[in-house]
Amino acid sequence: MDLVKALSSQYMKTELPEMRVGDTVRVHVRIKEGSRERIQVFEGTIIARKHGGINETITVRRVSYGVGCEKVFPVHSPRVASVETVRKGKVRRAKLYYLRDRFGKAAKVKERV
């Protein structure tokens, strides 16, 4: 069991910002197109955090052109270049799946001061 912990701690990122459910984040993802590689930014609200340790994932939701788009990012993946927190959200739940049914002002999350 210690061998698994040692291997997983070796690949975990240490410089991650503090992020909670409800926060608006900018996720910088490495995209490979042919032989070239570029970084693409995905900005949205964290609606779920799952698992823990090396397997931790965040689900980020954004609405663009009236269509909701969700992506699940493994936090410690080498494909995720960086994560930066844009604004803190004030929520009282661990999962914000109810935002999928809402739109407009009802889909906003209050800011934590």
Side-chain angles (χ1 to χ4, degrees):
M1 199 61 183
D2 291 332
L3 180 64
V4 173
K5 284 185 180 178
L7 280 173
S8 64
S9 66
Q10 178 183 355
Y11 291 105
M12 286 178 65
K13 293 181 182 175
T14 55
E15 69 283 343
L16 287 173
E18 182 185 333
M19 51 185 171
R20 297 184 185 173
V21 173
D23 292 354
T24 302
V25 292
R26 240 182 233 127
V27 183
H28 299 262
V29 187
R30 288 190 181 95
I31 304 288
K32 192 166 186 174
E33 295 173 335
S35 61
R36 300 184 333 146
E37 192 172 283
R38 66 184 176 87
I39 290 186
Q40 184 173 355
V41 179
F42 188 88
E43 184 174 342
T45 306
I46 298 177
I47 63 168
R49 280 181 78 174
K50 287 189 177 179
H51 315 299
I54 195 79
N55 298 324
E56 184 178 357
T57 61
I58 57 171
T59 304
V60 182
R61 176 180 176 81
R62 78 165 177 206
V63 178
S64 58
Y65 300 105
V67 179
C69 177
E70 290 182 10
K71 285 190 179 182
V72 179
F73 296 104
V75 175
H76 299 287
S77 169
R79 286 271 169 227
V80 175
S82 65
V83 179
E84 61 180 90
T85 306
V86 177
R87 63 190 285 265
K88 305 275 187 187
K90 181 182 177 187
V91 293
R92 297 167 65 180
R93 296 178 179 271
K95 305 284 190 276
L96 303 181
Y97 295 138
Y98 67 90
L99 291 179
R100 293 173 175 165
D101 302 329
R102 310 216 174 157
F103 52 90
K105 279 191 178 180
K108 293 210 189 259
V109 175
K110 290 180 185 171
E111 190 162 4
R112 184 166 25 109
V113 180

